[in-house]
Amino acid sequence: MALKRLVVDVHTHLYLPRYASLLRSRTTLPKIISREDGERLVILKDEPSGGRPIGPVYTERNEKLEFMKKHDIDISIVSTANPWLDFLSAKEAHSMALELNDDLEEYCSTGPALTGTSMRQLYGFGLLPLVPEITTESLLEAVKQIAASAHLKGLIMGTLGVGKGLDDEALDPVWDAIEAAGLVVFIHPHHSIVNSETWGPKQNGHVLPLALGFPFETTVAATRIILSGVFDRFPSLRLLLAHSGGALPQLSSRLASCIDHDPVVASRLKHDARFYLGKLYLDAVSYGPEELGFVGDVLGRSNRFEAGSSSTASGDRVAGSKRMLFGTDHPFFPPLSSSEKWKSVVENLDAIENVKGWTEDDKDGVRGGNAISLFNL
Ligand code: URA
Ligand code: ZN
């Protein structure tokens, strides 16, 4: 009998009960409001129709496990969903981060384990108290806590850093500690980079902020990281970008050209911008095989752009696929009618299955093998 290849979901969220209680206690964004027809989650500015319905699927471990079972997902690396601790004071964020990291470790460690009798396993991404006025000591304490938690394999962060973005030099000691601890940083959007006026009439609902605003936010954040030389200073840092890196793969040659024509920036970086793209890990949450194939091509050509390289070989789609990892974005994008499987999951699995040029081994890697190596599971 062929050994079952594991399926690992690296992009799957929850609101831990402690965090959900915090949102329920609030009257300003982000908040959970109670209505006659149930609770609603209101986290985005100008959310249409009073936010989205929220139920146990956002908070309960059993629901996560049921979802995993329904979609044959063996391992989930669960992360707190946006907007994390962004709205708290430094003091509140410090204690909440430490408490939520302990909660998440317990959520994972007291769940089932991947053994002969049970086939689901939970791991997590912890949180840092990334808010303005936080001390470096506080951030390092949370990194240390996560590194010491057996089931926490990395941490999730938004794009604001301690208020000045992820290219802020104040974060250097944090990148240093994360790199030394071998933790993976999952960079995820929340704030969008354009204001609601740019989105036009309200009848477009959530579509524009989620489809464009989220990935563009990630695109800008990752580009700022590259431009600030973070990868030159911390070459072993492992960053995983949500939603396949947004528009960065598509814009990377344009970015390289703009850098070339700007002597101030060009002299600062050791390599061509496209080299740094090949250092990133991207989730495979892009819903189409053509997009995944393209992203694989872009990641797989990075060696050509290492300073001093004379290689002119074209992009290697397969090598690029090694840095791509399956995700679902559960419990967001629930099915609109009761259905056996979630469309958002089926589409992402179908996309992996149908990439031209990927062998079964490459697809198995994206579905799970790459995550097992990256997170040392
Ligand atoms: N909507 C969100 O607010 N967060 C996600 O991660 C996905 C959709
Ligand atoms: Zn997400």
Side-chain angles (χ1 to χ4, degrees), residues 11 13 15 41 43-44 47 52 81-82 188-190 210 214 243 329 332-333:
H11 189 156
H13 301 295
Y15 291 120
L41 175 70
I43 53 173
L44 301 179
E47 289 234 26
R52 317 165 217 193
N82 48 300
H188 192 289
H190 170 71
L210 287 183
F214 266 40
H243 313 122
D329 228 339
F332 295 105
F333 308 110

Side-chain angles (χ1 to χ4, degrees), residues 152-168:
L152 303 188
K153 299 291 175 188
L155 51 110
I156 185 167
M157 62 168 74
T159 62
L160 301 183
V162 292
K164 294 187 187 153
L166 298 180
D167 51 3
D168 185 352

Side-chain angles (χ1 to χ4, degrees), residues 217-239:
E217 178 186 347
T218 309
T219 305
V220 174
T223 305
R224 283 176 59 177
I225 289 175
I226 291 171
L227 292 181
S228 69
V230 164
F231 277 120
D232 289 332
R233 295 196 294 287
F234 306 102
S236 304
L237 193 60
R238 297 178 306 162
L239 306 183

Side-chain angles (χ1 to χ4, degrees), residues 97-284:
L98 298 181
E99 285 166 354
L100 288 173
N101 289 338
D102 279 343
D103 291 351
L104 187 57
E105 172 62 23
E106 193 188 330
Y107 171 102
C108 299
S109 64
T110 59
L114 199 59
T115 62
T117 50
S118 165
M119 287 307 288
R120 324 268 148 223
Q121 172 88 53
L122 297 166
Y123 293 104
F125 287 105
L127 286 172
L128 301 185
L130 283 161
V131 295
E133 288 168 32
I134 198 78
T135 62
T136 303
E137 290 68 44
S138 171
L139 293 166
L140 296 181
E141 185 182 344
V143 173
K144 207 167 153 197
Q145 178 201 24
I146 293 168
S149 304
H151 293 79
L152 303 188
K153 299 291 175 188
L155 51 110
I156 185 167
M157 62 168 74
T159 62
L160 301 183
V162 292
K164 294 187 187 153
L166 298 180
D167 51 3
D168 185 352
E169 277 194 13
L171 295 177
D172 272 15
V174 181
W175 298 130
D176 192 34
I178 290 171
E179 185 187 49
L183 296 169
V184 175
V185 181
F186 182 20
I187 298 181
H188 192 289
H190 170 71
H191 295 276
S192 211
I193 49 162
V194 277
N195 60 35
S196 54
E197 278 133 49
T198 315
W199 300 134
K202 287 239 191 263
Q203 69 258 25
N204 292 328
H206 276 144
V207 170
L208 286 164
L210 287 183
L212 305 184
F214 266 40
F216 285 175
E217 178 186 347
T218 309
T219 305
V220 174
T223 305
R224 283 176 59 177
I225 289 175
I226 291 171
L227 292 181
S228 69
V230 164
F231 277 120
D232 289 332
R233 295 196 294 287
F234 306 102
S236 304
L237 193 60
R238 297 178 306 162
L239 306 183
L240 167 66
L241 302 188
H243 313 122
S244 303
L248 190 54
Q250 170 65 38
L251 295 175
S252 53
S253 289
R254 180 174 172 80
L255 172 65
S257 172
C258 293
I259 294 171
D260 277 349
H261 292 88
D262 192 323
V264 176
V265 185
S267 63
R268 198 165 69 212
L269 294 177
K270 283 199 186 139
H271 305 278
D272 183 287
R274 289 164 286 192
F275 168 75
Y276 301 104
L277 245 85
K279 296 189 77 70
L280 297 167
Y281 295 85
L282 306 184
D283 74 21

Side-chain angles (χ1 to χ4, degrees), residues 292-312:
L292 290 184
F294 169 75
V295 169
D297 285 347
V298 171
L299 294 181
R301 69 181 180 181
S302 62
N303 284 350
R304 256 163 71 198
F305 297 104
E306 184 166 10
S309 164
S310 56
S311 166
T312 51

